[in-house]
Amino acid sequence: MIQSSRPVPPSTSHTLPRTQPDTQSGLLVRPRLVVLSGSPRTGSRTLAVARGLVERITEDLPAASVEIIDLAELARHLFDGDSRVAAAARTVAAADLLIVASPVYKGSYTGLLKVFLDLLPGGALRGVTAIPLVLSAAPDHSFAGEAYLRPVLVELGAAVPARSFAVIEEQIPDLDVVFDSWVVSYVSALRASVAANAGAARPAHDAEDDRPAHAEAAPSPVPSDAVRSDAVRSDAVRSDAVRSDTTRTEPARPVPAVLAPAASAVPVTGSGSGASSSGSSGVAVGVRTALRAGLAGAVL
């Protein structure tokens, strides 16, 4: 569920600042990096691609730790208040650099990822630098990261300084090139964003803030006297309307022609996908070599 390839020593894991200073340069360049995979399938290509991107990013921007959250392993617990879901939410909110990965389903990111993000309180990602990552089957769906995933991350308070990392299936054999091109273009912006957020205070949320960010407060109760007064005025208005209708005559309206009944809808059926692949390794090192060799037949 949550795997760490380079864990922070236990003695300091609860007292770490958002980023770790580089003692030679004095710059804050070692973020806590978290991957959130929204694929509903374990062992998905989406998570494998995210691991590959982590490996390439950390070559230029070393991380203090790397943690993986696979929502496929939490799916059945999202609605029952499970402590593992709460722990995953805290891990995501505590990230310095967050990769939010999803396959493209029906032109957008997955419902599983949407449910998890809706559980986060408003402003939960304030101080987090986020990277949307989408994997699609066709080029015309590669826009989903920018059009749909970026806005929800920004709504939750995250900084998204780089363009979404979008991959289509036909690019999987050449992922090294895709990784290099994207990282070279945006690593400076990511580093600057992480450094700028290093001193940002984390939002404090209590039990009342655990409702979804879009939830609205219940309306204040209206005094009963005001309700009765409104009812009296409403009755008076209806009475005036009745009197007005009895004195007004209108020409008869033409009867519309009978429309021919619409053709009945033809049900559309489709075949489901096969069994999902087995879970992937928690170690990010060497992922890019494995991607080229074994991802062509894996699931999204």
Side-chain angles (χ1 to χ4, degrees):
M1 180 183 14
I2 301 178
Q3 304 165 4
S4 178
S5 59
R6 281 165 286 187
V8 177
S11 60
T12 59
S13 60
H14 298 292
T15 59
L16 284 173
R18 293 188 69 90
T19 53
Q20 297 299 292
D22 185 304
T23 55
Q24 295 181 349
S25 65
L27 297 177
L28 298 173
V29 294
R30 290 191 177 272
R32 179 181 181 181
L33 200 158
V34 175
V35 174
L36 176 64
S37 172
S39 174
R41 303 176 186 272
T42 58
S44 66
R45 284 185 294 184
T46 301
L47 180 54
V49 170
R51 290 177 186 273
L53 182 61
V54 167
E55 183 184 354
R56 180 59 185 88
I57 287 175
T58 54
E59 291 177 5
D60 290 8
L61 183 59
S65 65
V66 177
E67 295 162 275
I68 307 295
I69 300 174
D70 190 353
L71 291 182
E73 300 179 6
L74 293 173
R76 68 180 62 186
H77 305 293
L78 288 178
F79 294 101
D80 58 13
D82 192 279
S83 60
R84 289 168 291 184
V85 176
R90 288 192 298 269
T91 299
V92 166
D96 299 307
L97 186 58
L98 174 67
I99 296 177
V100 182
S102 174
V104 176
Y105 279 15
K106 302 299 188 291
S108 184
Y109 58 94
T110 64
L112 175 62
L113 180 57
K114 173 63 174 171
V115 169
F116 179 82
L117 294 176
D118 278 352
L119 294 176
L120 300 179
L125 300 185
R126 192 177 303 121
V128 176
T129 298
I131 301 171
L133 183 156
V134 293
L135 174 62
S136 62
D140 56 350
H141 283 166
S142 60
F143 69 90
E146 286 294 292
Y148 302 116
L149 191 48
R150 171 192 286 269
V152 72
L153 297 176
V154 172
E155 174 68 20
L156 287 168
V160 188
R163 186 174 181 82
S164 300
F165 184 83
V167 181
I168 57 178
E169 290 183 18
E170 65 185 35
Q171 292 177 307
I172 286 178
D174 301 313
L175 273 178
D176 280 351
V177 175
V178 181
F179 288 146
D180 286 339
S181 176
W182 190 92
V183 172
V184 168
S185 298
Y186 297 113
V187 70
S188 296
L190 296 175
R191 183 182 292 111
S193 179
V194 169
N197 286 330
R202 297 175 186 269
H205 301 292
D206 53 25
E208 292 183 356
D209 293 326
D210 288 339
R211 63 186 178 182
H214 60 265
E216 299 180 357
S220 301
V222 180
S224 58
D225 290 342
V227 173
R228 286 194 294 270
S229 178
D230 288 343
V232 171
R233 286 195 295 270
S234 178
D235 289 341
V237 170
R238 284 196 296 270
S239 178
D240 290 342
V242 170
R243 287 195 296 271
S244 176
D245 287 341
T246 58
T247 59
R248 183 173 61 247
T249 58
E250 296 182 355
R253 297 180 181 178
V255 178
V258 178
L259 298 178
S264 59
V266 178
V268 178
T269 59
S271 59
S273 59
S276 60
S277 302
S278 60
S280 56
S281 170
V283 181
V285 178
V287 166
R288 284 180 286 170
T289 302
L291 286 172
R292 290 193 300 270
L295 283 182
V299 294
L300 287 177

